[in-house]
Amino acid sequence: MFSTADTIVAIATPPGRGALGIVRLSGPDARRIAAELTGRDAPLAPRLATFARLRVANGGGVGDEVVLTAFPSPRSSTGEDCVEICAHGSPVVLAAILRGAVAAGARLAEPGEFSLRALLNGKRDLVQAEAVADLIEAVTPLQARAAFDQLQGTLTGAIAAIESDLFDLVARLEASLDFPEEGYHFISGDEAAASLDGVLQRVERLLADSARGRLIREGALVTLAGAPNVGKSSLFNALLAANRAIVTPFPGTTRDMLTERVDIGGLSLALVDTAGLRPAQDAVEEEGVRRAEGSLAVSDLVLAVLDRSRPLEDDDRRMIDATSSRARLIVVNKIDLPPAWIDLPDGIAGDRVDISVRTEEGLDELRRHIGASLAGGTALKDEPLVTNVRHASLLEAARAALTRGRQALIDSRGTVPEEFVLADLQEATDCLEEITGRRTTDDLLRHIFERFCVGK
Ligand SMILES: Nc1nc2c(ncn2[C@@H]2O[C@H](COP(=O)(O)OP(=O)(O)O)[C@@H](O)[C@H]2O)c(=O)[nH]1
Ligand SMILES: [Mg+2]
């Protein structure tokens, strides 16, 4: 895909102005290029910050005071010679450094190219490279913790342990295959089945947590639904802690769909406020109601809002029916006002939380319920190992292959059909190696690294 023999350069800090900005060089000429950019003759001491003045030949006279740090190969993030040039965070200065580096022989890095080189040089495996991207993308502390765990190698270690058991089993089955004439089995059918069960259990344990992991990594879509005027927009604003949606005493105020990101219990939620569900009074409201129904259809959770201060009406019942097949939390609002009813009609499924947006009573309880409903009741505090859907689907494929292999062992009732079992175990091994990147194709790498940012 990319050449790995040349020296790449990129701005590593976000676009825009800041106190500092960092340009990163990696490759055989990194130190020479940094020296040319600053007119330094003395070599840079490894891993020590060195003050220098920028002298970019074709930089249009742009200058700056910078700090250079050299990380000689192999003790660098990419495994190659690296230099970080820390300048002031002026887009003009950073662009001049970039131009100067290219004039001195560097090539502009592609997205994720630094991480790719780290992978190819054995500095990180694929799981860890993906974890860096996740850590950068994290918007909640829980997401960041889960990503950092993977960066530290918890998932890599768990997979290595599974691979090692599997490798041992494969070796013994192969030995039995290779020396059949000796009439000697290196492993009995029962032993093989027991060992395979152990491997399967480890895979199952990783997968058990993966739905929750994916929820943490990717967040969820939560839609507020309800008849006009029950307090959806008020609740939307309260959960965002911002006055985002217009709230009025008049039914039909919200006609468009509003979406905002919010951290609830560590989960990054896209919260959607919708037009009240009722027979529309005009074309705009009709479109709003259509959008509301669309959002309901793809939501991970629906907050079905009711107003307890007035009797339930047809619009409420229609909303209850329309959301009955969705994962749903019934939110009973306006409990600060005298109640028009206490119990919901029979047959309405879903947990219920009573709140008052006005007095904020019940809002914490509601936040807890939202987190618990999305996580399927499990606690959200520990970081799951598997958060990435790519990893989960490869683990599922490994599980399927292992299950087939186990079935082949059982069907043979003790006479070990090594060839069949081995084919399945090999498939499982391939899946595990694809997770950590020991077995990859250029296409896969391209696909994964393309979503990284430039300079990473
Ligand atoms: N007393 C009381 N009024 C509320 C509460 N929540 C919302 N309201 C009022 O109900 C009206 C409709 O609220 P709004 O959020 O626009 O409802 P929506 O049409 O469902 O979006 C407004 O006048 C709000 O101030 C509450 O908990 N208690
Ligand atoms: Mg509204």
Side-chain angles (χ1 to χ4, degrees):
M1 51 200 291
F2 316 123
S3 155
T4 51
D6 49 1
T7 299
I8 51 174
V9 64
I11 300 173
T13 36
R17 273 155 235 290
L20 299 174
I22 295 176
V23 174
R24 209 174 183 198
L25 285 157
S26 179
D29 293 328
R31 281 186 283 181
R32 177 188 59 77
I33 293 170
E36 280 186 31
L37 287 172
T38 50
R40 280 178 54 91
D41 293 330
L44 291 168
R47 292 179 298 283
L48 280 183
T50 307
F51 178 83
R53 281 201 177 73
L54 203 61
R55 267 181 227 144
V56 184
N58 64 343
V62 173
D64 193 10
E65 295 175 337
V66 300
V67 172
L68 304 174
T69 317
F71 302 90
S73 166
R75 290 181 62 190
S76 71
S77 57
T78 60
E80 306 175 327
D81 273 357
C82 284
V83 178
E84 287 176 10
I85 305 173
C86 184
H88 289 110
S90 147
V92 180
V93 169
L94 297 176
I97 297 177
L98 219 52
R99 268 201 307 280
V102 170
R107 169 171 66 77
L108 292 179
E110 302 287 333
E113 204 172 354
F114 290 89
S115 299
L116 177 69
R117 289 188 174 195
L119 175 78
L120 296 176
N121 292 322
K123 281 284 165 175
R124 297 195 191 294
D125 67 13
L126 194 49
V127 168
Q128 290 170 319
E130 289 172 294
V132 175
D134 285 354
L135 184 59
I136 291 173
E137 295 288 323
V139 294
T140 76
L142 187 56
Q143 285 178 323
R145 283 206 303 273
F148 184 63
D149 255 23
Q150 288 176 4
L151 180 57
Q152 295 286 285
T154 45
L155 178 58
T156 304
I159 287 175
I162 297 173
E163 279 181 322
S164 133
D165 282 5
L166 203 50
F167 182 80
D168 185 59
L169 177 59
V170 167
R172 296 211 277 166
L173 286 171
E174 273 177 352
S176 305
L177 250 189
D178 288 346
F179 305 104
E181 65 282 359
E182 270 139 74
Y184 177 67
H185 277 301
F186 285 76
I187 185 166
S188 74
D190 284 350
E191 270 181 285
S195 158
L196 198 46
D197 276 344
V199 173
L200 254 172
Q201 268 165 28
R202 283 162 180 261
V203 174
E204 295 280 4
R205 267 205 296 278
L206 283 180
L207 275 171
D209 234 13
S210 67
R212 194 168 64 88
R214 191 172 168 194
L215 174 67
I216 289 172
R217 180 171 180 266
E218 294 175 10
L221 186 68
V222 177
T223 302
L224 290 156
N229 245 20
V230 293
K232 298 178 296 301
S233 296
S234 306
L235 177 57
F236 181 76
N237 289 341
L239 291 174
L240 293 179
N243 254 332
R244 176 72 177 82
I246 299 172
V247 171
T248 74
F250 310 110
T253 303
T254 310
R255 292 151 71 102
D256 209 341
M257 214 167 70
L258 299 176
T259 305
E260 289 289 334
R261 281 260 156 211
V262 57
D263 173 353
I264 291 185
L267 296 177
S268 166
L269 304 185
L271 194 63
V272 186
D273 184 24
T274 61
L277 295 174
R278 67 170 176 182
Q281 324 255 305
D282 59 46
V284 178
E285 188 173 8
E286 193 176 319
E287 178 60 18
V289 170
R290 205 184 56 75
R291 289 182 185 198
E293 286 164 352
S295 177
L296 286 179
V298 296
S299 289
D300 299 293
L301 180 68
V302 175
L303 301 183
V305 187
L306 298 170
D307 176 350
R308 202 189 62 171
S309 70
R310 60 159 175 76
L312 290 180
E313 291 165 2
D314 284 349
D315 289 339
D316 298 310
R317 289 194 196 90
R318 266 197 295 274
M319 183 277 291
I320 292 285
D321 286 345
T323 57
S324 62
S325 65
R326 315 289 320 167
R328 170 173 80 180
L329 202 54
I330 309 264
V331 181
V332 176
N333 188 29
K334 306 197 190 181
I335 58 170
D336 55 296
L337 298 175
W341 47 272
I342 299 291
D343 291 324
L344 286 168
D346 286 345
I348 296 181
D351 277 357
R352 163 178 174 174
V353 185
D354 289 15
I355 64 162
S356 162
V357 177
R358 175 145 304 167
T359 65
E360 299 188 3
E361 191 185 345
L363 286 183
D364 282 340
E365 170 83 3
L366 175 62
R367 286 191 192 91
R368 269 197 301 281
H369 256 79
I370 292 173
S373 303
L374 286 168
T378 53
L380 272 169
K381 50 186 189 310
D382 353 301
E383 297 83 77
L385 289 180
V386 179
T387 57
N388 184 317
V389 63
R390 188 183 76 83
H391 305 162
S393 56
L394 284 166
L395 280 169
E396 275 162 13
R399 173 173 63 186
L402 293 169
T403 309
R404 272 198 308 279
R406 189 175 168 281
Q407 198 56 44
L409 270 174
I410 291 169
D411 290 347
S412 73
R413 291 206 199 85
T415 60
V416 187
E418 289 94 346
E419 292 90 336
F420 296 138
V421 181
L422 275 171
D424 292 326
L425 300 194
Q426 187 55 51
E427 194 182 322
T429 306
D430 291 350
C431 293
L432 297 177
E433 291 188 341
E434 198 173 325
I435 295 178
T436 52
R438 253 191 296 150
R439 240 178 86 91
T440 49
T441 60
D442 268 9
D443 276 354
L444 173 71
L445 289 183
R446 197 191 314 273
H447 177 72
I448 291 173
F449 284 94
E450 258 168 10
R451 76 177 184 92
F452 284 37
C453 37
V454 174
K456 234 198 64 225

